[in-house]
Amino acid sequence: MALTTRGGGAGGGDPAKAPSASDPSLGFLTKRDTEVKLPRATRVKNKTPAPIQITAEQILREARERQEPEIRPPKQKITDSHELSEYRLRKRKEFEDVIRRVRWSVSAWVKYARWEEQQRDFARARSVYERALDVAHRDHTLWLKYAEFEMRNRFVNHARNVWDRAVSLLPRVDQLWYKYIHMEELLGAVANARQVFERWMEWRPDTAGWNSYIKFELRYGEVERARAIYERFVAEHPRPDTFIRYAKFEMKRGEVERARRVYERAADLLADDEDAEVLFVAFAEFEERCREVERARAIYKYALDRVPKGRAEELYRKFLAFEKQFGDREGIEDAIVGKRRFQYEDEVRKNPLNYDSWFDYIRLEESVGNKDRIREVYERAIANVPPAEEKRYWQRYIYLWINYALYEELDAQDIERTREVYKECLKLIPHKKFTFAKMWLMAAQFEIRQRNLKATRQILGNAIGMAPKGKIFKKYIEIELYLGNFDRCRTLYEKYIEWSPANCYAWRKYAELEKNLSETDRARSIYELAIAQPALDTPEVLWKEYLQFEIDESEFGRARGLYERLLDRTKHLKVWISYAEFEASAGLGSEDSESEEKKNEVGYQEQQMERVSKCRAIFERAFDYFRTSAPELKEERAMLLEEWLNKEVSFGDLGDISLVQKKAPRKVKRKRPIPTEDGSTIAYEEYIDYIFPDEVAQAPNLKILEAAYKWKKQKTGDDDE
């Protein structure tokens, strides 16, 4: 990499002169003395590359060459004892000064003692260590350095003395015990090492200390001693890993029965331990190695029943692998079910309100067919009540109760238990805030299947009293109607209407009941009460049925009066058309069965003329209304004329098509602006407008447009010719 250097000089003006006057706040200093002088910005005039370029490598090499050599102290040579004494005196003074300054620094004491050791003055070195222990006797590294010093220089008794003092003061530091025992082993003093181990075991160390003691005995072939230590070990640390280690020790020496007894003791003692899964897996694998397949299967099943599902993942996996290797098809399926059961248990433990997981878990148990386990899962599932009393949180939860009741009734065939499930569910739902008509109806239908009509009526009566809903009324009325209790049906319809007076369905069905019972006056009274209600959800359907009822009863005068009352409420196009249709067909139903000869009679012709005139009068009334009272409803007026024309055509010889054609409008395409949010007009849309003849007569501009339209039409016809 080359660094480009540029030639040229730097230019600049004269520096600004500082004021010579002194400031009183600066004392004897002037502002020139105190001001900060910044270097002037260099302005490069010649920006062309220099003829000789410098690389980064050259800069680094030059810096290396100019680096000064490292200064090292001169080597000192001692030639006689006098110089040696002075040197030792000087070094000791330096060490003492350092210790005086940093008395609590263990490294300073260790350096001092090692220097004395190098001078072969072991008494002084020992004295330094002792002085250090007076300062920091809780520092185990200092004891280690002290003991290693004695061992290096073969002062065995001194070393033992140091180790004894160290382990007495710091018995919880395992490293001191390990070093002490290691020294005794190196010296071949096995009895002394065993004695040190026993002293250590009195302090109840962790598993590493016990394991080192056992390995020590095994190194010297003391199997019985090792077994005795294992017994003390598992008594001191009753954990799965210690028992497993003990059993493996026995297994390695071929003692199968001893190993099995160890596992059995552990299983009895640690069945509820949080790490029991590891113990049972090891026990089963031990039996598997011993070719005891049934024993291993029994251990796995016992463990799956005892170990909590959240900690049995490895256990399920091992059991599945075991069944795949040694089991039959049924055993493999049981193992797979067990694994899936574990997965579902894990899911419902993480989120108990995840009802989909409960449904999957229940389906799994139902596929197995164990009634007690199925009921247990159902009970656990329904115990997770939604925290908020809002129906959207309960819509999924309620199906747990439904499935539970259906299982008890259909699969378990336990009638009393099914009745109890329905009862508890209906008691749990907060009916004052919301209810589930499905549960009331299912409970009632269950009692019907049990031929208990009294209980059915009681359930549905409670439902109507506590949380009335349309579905409940409909089902209750259907049941009573099927049984032929018409008085009960009337009572229920009255309750239904009292609860929801705007519900046209209830009024219609009540009137239909009375009509089917040939109670014409009661049905008419019900219709009258219904149309008198101030608010209805579908009034058009109710009026339509009432009108059809009067027509079916051949009460044409009443029907005509109803139409007039309806027109007082609404002048909708459909009402006018229906009224006209009624007038055109009134009385035809009774004449359909007569022969053709009777149709040609004079009386029939007169009736037909009367119907046509009445129908035409209705159409004229409707047209006048839309022309005078609602002129803006041009499209409705055009549709009315279209229906009128069709009706005149259907009258045949009695019809007068020209009467309608004179009033027919002309369609015109026009454009109107589309307003935007800010009120401005950006686009236009096309629409169809209707121009009626009476509008043309009233507006002179429209006459001009009509003349222009006729001229254009005539011209187009001439061009075509």
Side-chain angles (χ1 to χ4, degrees), residues 666 696 701-714:
R666 188 175 69 253
V696 175
N701 293 334
L702 292 177
K703 287 185 178 181
I704 297 172
L705 288 173
E706 186 179 4
Y709 176 74
K710 288 181 179 179
W711 173 79
K712 184 177 180 182
K713 187 175 182 182
Q714 184 179 1

Side-chain angles (χ1 to χ4, degrees), residues 409 415 419 445-452:
E409 181 184 0
I415 304 303
R419 186 174 288 114
Q445 289 166 351
F446 163 74
E447 295 295 348
I448 290 174
R449 288 192 293 272
Q450 307 309 314
R451 304 178 186 276
N452 192 346

Side-chain angles (χ1 to χ4, degrees), residues 24 88 123 221 342 371-372 503 546 550 558 585 639 642 672:
R88 288 178 175 173
F342 165 75
K371 288 185 179 180
D372 294 335
N503 190 346
Y546 190 10
E550 296 293 0
R558 289 180 179 273
S585 61
M639 293 171 64
E642 185 179 352
R672 59 187 170 195

Side-chain angles (χ1 to χ4, degrees), residues 102-120:
V102 286
R103 177 179 176 81
W104 302 104
S105 176
V106 176
S107 60
W109 288 103
V110 172
K111 288 179 182 178
Y112 190 6
R114 282 186 177 174
W115 183 82
E116 293 290 358
E117 183 183 359
Q118 290 173 1
Q119 303 302 316
R120 312 300 292 174

Side-chain angles (χ1 to χ4, degrees), residues 261 282 409 443 464 528 663 687:
R261 284 199 295 271
E409 181 184 0
I464 292 173
E528 287 293 335
K663 300 178 181 181
Y687 71 100

